[in-house]
Structures are given as C-alpha cells and as structure tokens.
Amino acid sequence: MGRVSPTTPDLVHHADSPESPWWRDAVIYQIYPRSWADSDGDGIGDLPGIIDHLPYLRDLGVDAVWLSPFYVSPMHDAGYDVADYRDIDPLFGRLADADRLIDTAHDLGLKVVVDLVPNHTSSDHPWFQEALTAPPGSAERARYLFRDGRGPHGDLPPNNWRSVFGGTGWSRVPNPDGTPGQWYLHLFDTTQPDVDWDNPEVRDEYDAILRFWLDRGVDGFRVDVAHGLVKDPALPDTTGSMHLTENPVGHVMPMWDQDGVHDIYRRWRAVLDTYTIPGDPDSQRILCAEAWVRPEERLSHYVRPDEMHQAFNFPFLETPWDSAAYRHVIEASLRSNDAVGAPTTWVLANHDVIRHASRFGLPQDGQRRNGIGAHDPQPDAALGLRRARAATAMMLALPGGAYLYQGEELGLPEHTTLPDEVRQDPTYHRTLGTDEFQRGRDGCRIPMTWRHDQPSFGFGPGANTWLPQPDTYGDLAVDRQDGIPGSTLTLYRDLLHYRRKHRFGHGSLAWDSLTSTTVLAFRNTSGDGTRTALIVTNFGPDPVALPEGDVLIASGPLTDDGAVPTDTTVWLRLPTTQEETR
Ligand code: NOJ
Ligand code: MG
C-alpha cells in the first residue's frame, strides 16, 4: 500500500529499529553557559541560572543538553582552556551546582552532555606549570609537545605550523636560568598548549577525567577538536591553511585526522560501555566528535561501532542555500554512516560559526566568513531568517540526531555591529592587522533574550551582560514568541513535537519525484511503516504545488492556493498506509 518498501529505487536510508537507543535520534540543545541565563547579576551566565531555566527546554521538546565548558579556567578562550577538569569555575558556580544541574535535568527527562577538551590544557594547568620549571627531556615536559628550535641558536620554531587562531603555532619558554629555551606547540592560543597523546600518562589521566564525570551521572561528552589529538610524530612542515575547518579532501594535514586518533576513541568507548546497564539502552553514555573532516566517508570513521556514537555533520552545516548541494550532502552523509551502522548528526549552528539566521542572509558564494563587523556588508535579516526556518524544518525531518544552538529557536541573528573594542574572542586579537584577519566569534555568543521588557532582556537580574545585546533581541525574546502562532519558537516546538510523536528521527529516507534543481523533496517513513511524511523545501522563485495530504507544519505561510513559496519547507502527511486510514 504506498509504503516505502526496501526496493524503492530512490530509497537512500532504511528506518532504524524503534527500540534503538536514545541517542540515535536525539535532539540535543547546546547551552553556552556564559550566555544563557545569569542568576547573580554579574553579567555572565551560570549554572544556577541554567537550572532555573531547564523547564523551558523540557517544554521546547529536546532530549538532552550539551553544555560548553564550565571548568576552572583563566578564560582566555571562553573556557576551552581548562586549568582543572574536575571542578567548576567560580564564575559559573560550584561542583554542587553541577550535581544539582544533572539531577534536575534528569528529573525533567533531559540527558546531560558535557564538553571534554583533550587536545590541550590551559597554560595554568598544574601539568604545564610543572613543565615550565622542569628541564628539557623531563617527564613533566613529556606531557606536552616541547621541542628544540631550529637554526644555530634554536631561535626558529621547530616547524612552520600556524595557530588556528592566527600567528605561529609555537611559543618559546625560558630555561630555569633565564636563557631562551625550548618551544611548545599550541594549535590554538599560546595559553592552550597541546598535550602529547603518545604519552601513556596523558591517556590514563583523561580516562580518569571521563570516569569522574560519568560517576557524577553525565550522559556523554562532546569531544573538542576530536580530529586533532594525534600529530604526525615527525612534526613535518606543512603547506596549506591551518584553519581548524579546512582539511582539504585528499590532502592529509600532519595535525588533523591522523589515523592514530581512532585508538583513543576505541579506548574511551570501552570506558563508557562499562557504565551501560545490561538490557537498558537508555543508560548508554555517548561520545560526540567535533571533527572538521572531509569527505563524509572519513568523518564516518569516528562513528564506527567501537568508537564514538555521534560526529557533528559539519559538511551539512557548511552547505550553501542550494537544492543540489543539500541533496548531495544528505545522501553522502547517510550512505557513509549507514556503511558503519551509525546515525547521522545534523547541525546548523554552534558557538563557533555565524548564526544561520544571518549566514543564509549573506551571498551564498560558499565563502567562509569569520564573523561580521559593523563596517562589513550586512546580511539581509528577513531573507536569512526565512531560509533559516526552512533549513531547520528540513533538518528536523531527516533521520538521525540533531544539535540545536541556544537562541536559534528564537531566530536570533548574529550581532553584526558589535563595537570592536568589546570583542573577546582570541581569534580577533591574534589576527588583528594581519592578512589572516578574523572578526571572531563573539557575534554568535551574545547573551540570551528571555523577557522583552527587562534590562538585559531577562538574561540576568540587572542590566549587566558580558557582551552587549543588539536592540533587535527585544522583539525576539521568549515572552514575545511564546504561544504566538507563526513565531520561530512555536515553529521549533511544533517541529520537535511532530518529530518525536512520529519518530521521524528513526525513519527511512527516499527522494521524492518533486526533487529538482530548485526543490528538495524527500519522504520519511517511520520504522513500522505507519506514517509517511513528504518534506518539501523550495529553493527556487516559483511556488511548488503539493500533492494531496495534510500539511503538518510549514516554516512560513503558504500561497493562497496552498503551494510552497520560495525559501519555505513544508511537512505533508501522506495518506499512505492501512493503519493510518483505519
Ligand atoms: C573548538 C571549540 O568549539 C572552540 O570554541 C575552541 O576555541 C576550540 N575548539 C579550541 O578549543
Ligand atoms: Mg553570573
């Protein structure tokens, strides 16, 4: 009866078993702790603020939260520079607050994923401090990548690697007697020395850190720079850009995506699996890779059955607004991950990229932009929001899991006119005045907007915010959108509700014949075959007529005669099965 059968020629992906574990179709909401909710009025979000607002996430309909780092840190990279992996920075609260956060989330039916930063520590970490006072060749230095410099006096860095944040990737330290000494590698800021993953002591330490948080009840880890931990041991000079996200296909960079990283993830998977309660898939703890790796097939190596559970689909995030480009990336991702039995993890936004409500309002020329400043060409806000809503409606109909970034459910744009003097991202300061100049990531990290009529838009009790909020955030506040038909918040709630109700995250995917150079159309059929939705996204100028069926949801108004206008996504329930018509 119309059910998509396994022999359908355009079937790209089979449905998952309805009993599969929670993470395979989970929608996980990223909280950037310093910017979500501030309880004490210091202008910086904190754990008590998060706890107070967790019911909002239950009502939104997500399955889990991922928290960016909240550990003790000098905050040179907003906490991605960890000085103590086993405690909370006083800015955010105390360890007891983390425990209460985990318990409260669990009581609300939300899982908790925390951030693990294993590529580097902070230079304030006791290990690095010990390394500085220890001699070359010592066990203390062997936890990091210390090397002698080149040139007759060792004045030149050991190789030509650049920092992802701009400038050289090496810094020189003085010897205990004050004379110039060795150099250490830092792929990011000078305050983020890379650790040496060939050192067994390093491996043991991070196992212990995993256990520390697993014992406290976290449900998983998002793994920072997962493709960077292992370096080619020869540390050879390299050609090409060092940008974290630029790992060109067919060009193996000596610091990115080295095969040796996979041993680490096998080891961690074994640790996590000891926490699974037999017969209870809900107890599974997960690992999610932040790996900027291409092509999709290389990325799928991170989610082989004995490695991580999820890997962010950054090729999807970087896809320009184009039907054929989406068709290609969706198909390539599903096929690569199906080959290893893993779900695909869709994502459109995070704390490192321009918010998609603004990104889609820029020229879709495939060019990466690192932030937007007041004197740069400004995005078309209305166009960007319209496309962002259509993109999210498409994404949440795809089989697999998905991550959302705080505020996207309100349609928040990037802050594109931040005064340069308030910028805090180290990439801005490290590249200022150079030809690597990056405006930086502050514009996507602006504090949340909860109440339109309060100072700091309800972010905190007073007016303080660590970065200024744009005026436009007032009308986008939660209280302005809550329960309002057509608002972006209502759209997200509806999408998450239907997705969960019909288990579209576990469904199959087949291309529909409406697909063309300007239309992306696919069918998602639930594993038991009882529901098929047709999802249509119109990238072209002309409205697209729909076949017979009930419109479940639309990312924007339809035309008067019920067609899908430009830059709009519709979910249509098709009258397909006997069960449904009963
Ligand atoms: C990726 C994180 O998402 C980013 O915010 C951070 O700056 C780098 N890794 C370095 O830890
Ligand atoms: Mg605070």
Side-chain angles (χ1 to χ4, degrees):
M1 287 293 303
R3 175 176 171 186
V4 180
S5 77
T7 53
T8 303
D10 286 334
L11 184 79
V12 176
H13 171 79
H14 287 278
D16 239 7
S17 145
E19 277 92 57
S20 46
W22 67 273
W23 49 269
R24 290 185 70 95
D25 70 338
V27 177
I28 302 182
Y29 182 99
Q30 179 188 357
I31 292 179
Y32 194 65
R34 61 173 45 230
S35 296
W36 204 55
D38 175 23
S39 71
D40 59 5
D42 67 351
I44 299 179
D46 44 51
L47 300 191
I50 294 173
I51 295 168
D52 288 347
H53 287 76
L54 283 176
Y56 166 79
L57 295 182
R58 175 205 50 204
D59 298 344
L60 182 61
V62 298
D63 302 288
V65 294
W66 150 38
L67 298 135
S68 278
F70 44 46
Y71 313 107
V72 176
S73 165
M75 304 289 167
H76 294 302
D77 184 23
Y80 282 95
D81 46 328
V82 181
D84 182 352
Y85 291 86
R86 294 177 179 81
D87 206 351
I88 307 298
D89 195 275
L91 272 182
F92 298 134
R94 294 174 309 130
L95 200 50
D97 296 317
D99 292 338
R100 197 158 60 85
L101 193 159
I102 295 166
D103 289 346
T104 310
H106 286 167
D107 288 346
L108 292 166
L110 297 165
K111 308 266 189 200
V112 179
V113 173
V114 296
D115 218 304
L116 183 74
V117 188
N119 179 69
H120 43 265
T121 70
S122 161
S123 50
D124 283 6
H125 191 284
W127 272 7
F128 194 74
Q129 290 301 313
E130 285 165 29
L132 288 181
T133 52
S138 61
E140 288 81 2
R141 289 222 170 163
R143 296 162 178 154
Y144 294 91
L145 290 154
F146 279 89
R147 294 289 183 276
D148 293 333
R150 291 197 286 201
H153 308 291
D155 290 348
L156 300 170
N159 69 23
N160 70 353
W161 294 7
R162 312 282 299 164
S163 157
V164 170
F165 289 170
T168 170
W170 295 90
S171 290
R172 197 170 192 188
V173 299
N175 288 316
D177 67 3
T179 56
Q182 285 191 305
W183 300 72
Y184 67 90
L185 178 70
H186 51 86
L187 291 182
F188 296 91
D189 192 53
T190 46
T191 61
Q192 293 167 299
D194 285 52
V195 298
D196 186 351
W197 273 91
D198 281 339
N199 183 335
E201 193 189 356
V202 168
R203 295 189 180 221
D204 290 345
E205 171 63 4
Y206 283 88
D207 284 357
I209 294 165
L210 288 176
R211 289 183 190 282
F212 178 86
W213 288 101
L214 290 165
D215 289 341
R216 303 197 96 82
V218 304
D219 301 287
F221 302 89
R222 172 270 189 189
V223 180
D224 192 60
V225 206
H227 60 316
L229 274 51
V230 171
K231 282 82 181 173
D232 179 332
L235 301 181
D237 275 346
T238 183
T239 53
S241 161
M242 271 291 301
H243 200 275
L244 175 66
T245 68
E246 281 161 24
N247 193 20
V249 174
H251 179 85
V252 180
M253 300 282 277
M255 73 297 285
W256 301 139
D257 196 27
Q258 297 285 303
D259 288 334
V261 293
H262 297 287
D263 294 338
I264 300 169
Y265 305 134
R266 287 192 195 97
R267 175 177 172 131
W268 290 1
R269 178 62 176 259
V271 172
L272 265 68
D273 282 352
T274 63
Y275 285 79
T276 303
I277 302 164
D280 178 9
D282 203 45
S283 66
Q284 291 182 16
R285 320 283 182 106
I286 65 162
L287 297 165
C288 177
E290 189 224 11
W292 295 86
V293 166
R294 284 176 188 272
E296 288 81 352
E297 194 215 331
R298 284 293 299 186
L299 184 58
S300 74
H301 291 178
Y302 290 77
V303 288
R304 288 178 289 201
D306 58 349
E307 298 194 34
M308 301 218 197
H309 304 73
Q310 304 179 323
F312 291 112
N313 190 335
F314 292 130
F316 179 78
L317 182 150
E318 295 190 309
T319 301
W321 190 244
D322 175 83
S323 169
Y326 276 108
R327 181 176 167 136
H328 172 81
V329 73
I330 291 169
E331 184 153 340
S333 311
L334 288 170
R335 288 203 192 288
S336 303
N337 280 16
D338 282 348
V340 296
T344 302
T345 302
W346 310 101
V347 59
L348 285 164
N350 65 30
H351 64 292
D352 290 330
V353 298
I354 294 175
R355 283 182 173 277
H356 62 303
S358 298
R359 208 166 66 225
F360 286 131
L362 293 168
Q364 295 297 291
D365 50 13
Q367 218 184 300
R368 178 195 316 285
R369 291 168 181 79
N370 295 298
I372 302 173
H375 303 296
D376 296 327
Q378 295 292 303
D380 177 334
L383 178 72
L385 179 58
R386 188 180 167 93
R387 288 179 173 171
R389 290 169 53 124
T392 301
M394 178 227 296
M395 175 178 86
L396 290 176
L398 292 169
Y403 279 72
L404 306 177
Y405 176 51
Q406 64 172 54
E408 67 164 274
E409 76 281 13
L410 306 176
L412 293 190
E414 187 86 356
H415 194 327
T416 58
T417 56
L418 263 184
D420 285 342
E421 55 278 12
V422 304
R423 292 189 183 276
Q424 305 211 11
D425 182 354
T427 62
Y428 172 78
H429 298 280
R430 287 182 64 90
T431 61
L432 198 58
T434 75
D435 52 12
E436 301 172 310
F437 178 61
Q438 300 179 28
R439 191 71 64 183
R441 301 162 293 178
D442 294 302
C444 65
R445 300 174 173 179
I446 304 299
M448 256 301 260
T449 168
W450 297 94
R451 302 277 304 265
H452 75 284
D453 57 354
Q454 292 191 4
S456 77
F457 299 132
F459 169 65
N464 284 344
T465 56
W466 70 279
L467 284 172
Q469 298 160 303
D471 296 341
T472 52
Y473 274 31
D475 270 345
L476 294 168
V478 171
D479 69 337
R480 294 288 261 195
Q481 302 200 38
D482 191 7
I484 304 297
S487 74
T488 304
L489 181 58
T490 299
L491 172 68
Y492 270 71
R493 284 184 180 152
D494 289 351
L495 288 166
L496 292 165
H497 168 79
Y498 280 115
R499 180 190 153 86
R500 179 180 281 177
K501 183 167 170 208
H502 300 308
R503 311 299 301 269
F504 287 130
H506 283 322
S508 63
L509 184 137
W511 296 121
D512 184 86
S513 56
L514 273 179
T515 296
S516 70
T517 50
T518 54
V519 177
L520 188 85
F522 60 88
R523 292 169 182 237
N524 182 322
T525 300
S526 59
D528 60 3
T530 59
R531 296 278 168 170
T532 294
L534 171 67
I535 288 83
V536 179
T537 304
N538 183 4
F539 295 80
D542 303 321
V544 176
L546 289 168
E548 205 185 314
D550 297 332
V551 172
L552 283 172
I553 203 159
S555 69
L558 301 188
T559 64
D560 288 345
D561 48 3
V564 186
T566 184
D567 296 334
T568 302
T569 295
V570 165
W571 293 20
L572 192 81
R573 196 173 85 188
L574 295 176
T576 47
T577 63
Q578 284 165 328
E579 290 91 313
E580 220 176 13
T581 47
R582 266 210 299 264

